[in-house]
Each structure stands twice: as structure tokens, then as C-alpha cells.
Amino acid sequence: MRNQKLKGQKSKIEIRFWKKILYGFSGPLKNRWLFTPFLLLFTFLTVGCRQDMAEQPRYDPLEASTFFADGQSARPLPPGTVARGYLREDTELYTGKSGKDFTNTFPFPVTRTVLERGQERYNIFCSPCHDRTGSGNGMIVRRGYTPPPSFHQDRLREAPVGYFFDVITNGFGAMPDYAAQIPPRDRWAIVAYIRALQLSQHATLEDVPAEERAKLSR
Amino acid sequence: MPQIFHRSTNTLSKLSIFGAVFILVVFVWVLMQINRSEYVTQANVVRVQPVQFSHEHHVNGLGIDCRYCHTTVEESSFAGIPPTKTCMNCHSQIWANSPYLEPVRESWRTGRAIQWTRVHNLADFVYFNHSIHVNKGIGCVTCHGRVDQMPLTWQQKSLQMEWCLECHRQPERFIRPREYVFSMDWQPPADQIALGQKLVREYNIPDVAFLTSCSTCHR
């Protein structure tokens, strides 16, 4: 009996509870606070739809622009302007020429670091056509591009270093210029490495240090 | 007065106390999964491009180095999208009449840039710099996946903050020797952690407190 009575009381509480929920939506204004959880849920679900922080009013590199007529946010340099740090007064360093003739001296000392840099850059930018030994049978040539001359022919072995620098900078024959892809100092490093390649194909046993010779004759 | 609710509702109401918590947890969990899903991150989704450029062909098939085209990746925050000139270095002669490459030739004739669809787009409130990662021994593949196996390009990773932190918390797990940064098939050795800890010291990588500081990436 007692138990049943308790259960009955509980039911009354429950009735009041459900009535309150219903009141939350439709009852007198003083009961409308029950609506709050639903309002919170709705707010929770709809925030985060604005992306003002993720897409700020500035350009990412190379982003399209609606402001400029050509649609590019990256602007070309107006003619005659020099960016800071890009003044090229040292003609030998930047053209490979002293006066009218190609220079045959490097504008900076060729160290092991320079040669290694040259090797790396040569393998990135030159080997697709000239191949890694410089004989001119790279992958792009095998796919049909005009074959370049071998670096190991006499004409190119005797050519001054400035000539190679000039060809990288301005292109020659079928070869496009690499001025935009390779900075000047790297071009010189590549020229130094081409000289090393040329030496490698015309070296004699006497050029090898005595302690290394045993390895070769084996 | 007759009872409105059946007796079984007692159990139901008790269950609903647990249920409410459970539903809330599941609800939050579902939201988090949606947020991590490829639908939101766009990972593994191939982007439609004006030219069907294949990294697989150029990198794997021809052996062209990443830096032939992405020239500024070692010096700049931005790896660089090659100008049409770089395409024309080879395609002035190779596949020179292919209809697939007409957008490239059109861009070359008119001087208007090809409008590529950006594949990796970080939110603007994140500062990311390619050069520091590349110079400190983080390989291209670590973030971009095996690009040499992508016929069309997609984003491999979620690019979400938890993914960034995975490495910023334990750089020794992902770092590799500098000479292999551009290698596509370098495999971490069995003692990667030992090697990683050695490289982290050698390359002067700051401690985890710095790497995971808010202002390292949000500045």
C-alpha cells in the first residue's frame, strides 16, 4: 500500500514535470525559461558558420584578385624598379662578362661547399636534359627534346666559364633560359660543377691521389 | 484521477537520466568525427584542375626534382607554383600539340596565368613556413604523402591542428637527415627515435615547449 502510494506521488511529480516542459513552449511567459536549453542547442549548432579568421582580408601568395584587371594579386615589377638587395652592379657576377668578352675566372672562390651546391643544383635543373654525367642524354631528351651537346666535347671544354653562365642566364638554341629558376650564385656553382664533370671524363690515373689509385686498378 | 503515464515510464525516466548524458556524449563525438572527416578536411579528395597535371608522371616517370618547379621551397614560406614558363621549358617541344596542354599554351600566348585550384589551403590564422621545415629535416613526403604516386593531386593529411601537433610534440619521430628531405622513398630506420633525437640536437630544433607554444604558429 505504502509503496503504491509513493509511486502515485512520483507520477504526480512526473505530470508536473511534463506539463512544465509543455509550458516552456506554450505556457505563460514566466515559464518560458524552460525553453532555454533548446535555444542554447540551436545557437551551438549554428555558430562557426562564419570564417572571417580563416579567410582574412589579405592575399595568400598568388591568390586571385578581383581588384586588379588581370585578376592577379601578385604584381609585376614596374619597369626600372630594383627590389632591395637586387641591385646588380657587379657585371661579372651577374652577366659572366668582363667588358665584351666572357670571363674565364669565377667571381668568388670555388670551395668544396660551392662544388657540392653546384652538384645538387645541376642534378635538379640540368640533369633532366644534360643527364648526370653531362653527355646530353637526359630523360627529357630521350622523350624527344632537341639533344644538347655533350659537355665533354673540345669546344665546350675550352669555353670560358662566363659562357656557361651566360647560357644558363639567357638560354641558347633549344635551351630555355633559367634566370628565373636559378639564382646567380647557384648558376656559378653549377658552372664550377660542369668543370668538375668535364675533368672527370678526361682525367688520367695521375690525377687520382696516390692512396686512392689502388681502388681503381682493382 | 487516472494515471496518465504507464508504470514502465518510471524505468524510462530513470534511463533517460543516463540517456541524456549518453546522448550528449555521442552528439559531441559525432560532431568531432564530422569535423575530422574527409568531407570537412578535404583530405584524399582530388581537386579539379584546369590541366590534368600528373605528379606521378613528372616525378616518378621522369625523375624531376621537386625543386625544379617549386623553386622557393628552401628559402621562402611559400614553396612556389611554377609560372607557365617552367612548363614551356619542356612543353615547347614535348607534347607540344597535345589538346590536354592547350590551357598551358593559351596562358603562354596570352600571358594570363593558369588558374590552378589550391590543394593545400591553411587557415589564415596559421603561420606556416616551408623553408624552416625543409631545412630542419622534415621531408616533403611527411606532410604531402607520396606525391610521386599521385596521378592527380590531392591533400594527404588533414592539416588540422592536432595533426601539426603530432610532430611538434615529438619531432624525433618524423625528422630525417637533410639529404633525404626531397627523397620520395626514404624509409625511417629501425632506430628512428635514436636517430631522430640525434638530428633534433644537431639541427638545433627548439624544445617541445617552444614548438607547441601558441605563438609559434599563431602569430
Side-chain angles (χ1 to χ4, degrees), chain A residues 4 7-8 10-12 14-15 18 41 44-45 53-58 60-64 70-72 117 120-121 123-129 132 139-141 143-146 174 176-178 180-183 186, chain B residues 1-7 9-10 13-14 24 27-28 31 57 61-69 71 74-75 77-78 80-81 83 85-86 88-94 111-113 115 118 121-126:
Chain A
Q4 266 187 341
K7 272 184 183 167
K10 256 190 192 171
S11 296
K12 271 182 190 165
E14 273 173 359
I15 293 163
W18 286 109
L41 188 71
F44 183 61
L45 284 174
M53 297 254 296
E55 282 166 43
Q56 295 167 17
R58 62 166 168 80
D60 289 337
L62 303 185
E63 191 175 323
D70 62 358
Q72 290 180 209
R117 174 82 180 171
E120 188 189 57
R121 298 294 122 173
N123 289 341
I124 296 169
F125 294 106
C126 314
S127 71
C129 287
R132 293 210 169 193
M139 188 56 97
I140 306 303
V141 171
R143 297 295 161 103
Y145 205 88
T146 310
D177 75 83
Y178 276 80
Q181 277 159 283
I182 316 175
D186 282 348
Chain B
M1 182 180 157
Q3 293 196 2
I4 297 176
F5 293 105
H6 188 261
R7 218 173 246 181
T9 41
N10 288 344
S13 67
K14 277 178 202 152
L24 205 68
F27 181 71
V28 170
L31 278 186
H57 169 67
L62 302 173
I64 296 173
D65 193 281
C66 312
R67 293 162 285 181
Y68 186 94
C69 301
T71 51
E74 291 167 300
E75 292 97 38
S77 62
F78 185 55
I81 296 298
K85 158 78 172 58
T86 305
M88 293 306 282
N89 279 355
C90 297
H91 290 295
S92 58
Q93 290 195 14
I94 291 175
R112 274 197 300 274
Q115 295 208 10
R118 195 165 179 150
N121 195 7
L122 281 181
D124 284 356
F125 49 76
V126 187

Side-chain angles (χ1 to χ4, degrees), chain A residues 100-115:
Chain A
K100 272 191 155 183
D101 300 321
F102 293 120
T103 171
N104 205 16
T105 50
F106 285 92
F108 51 86
V110 177
T111 60
R112 190 192 171 90
T113 324
V114 170
L115 268 180

Side-chain angles (χ1 to χ4, degrees), chain A residues 70 72, chain B residues 50-51 83-85 87-88 91-92 95-116:
Chain A
D70 62 358
Q72 290 180 209
Chain B
V51 183
T84 306
K85 158 78 172 58
C87 308
M88 293 306 282
H91 290 295
S92 58
W95 294 91
N97 297 312
S98 165
Y100 284 115
L101 296 180
E102 182 49 31
V104 179
R105 290 191 297 270
E106 191 201 337
S107 161
W108 185 238
R109 281 196 304 272
T110 59
R112 274 197 300 274
I114 303 170
Q115 295 208 10
W116 299 100

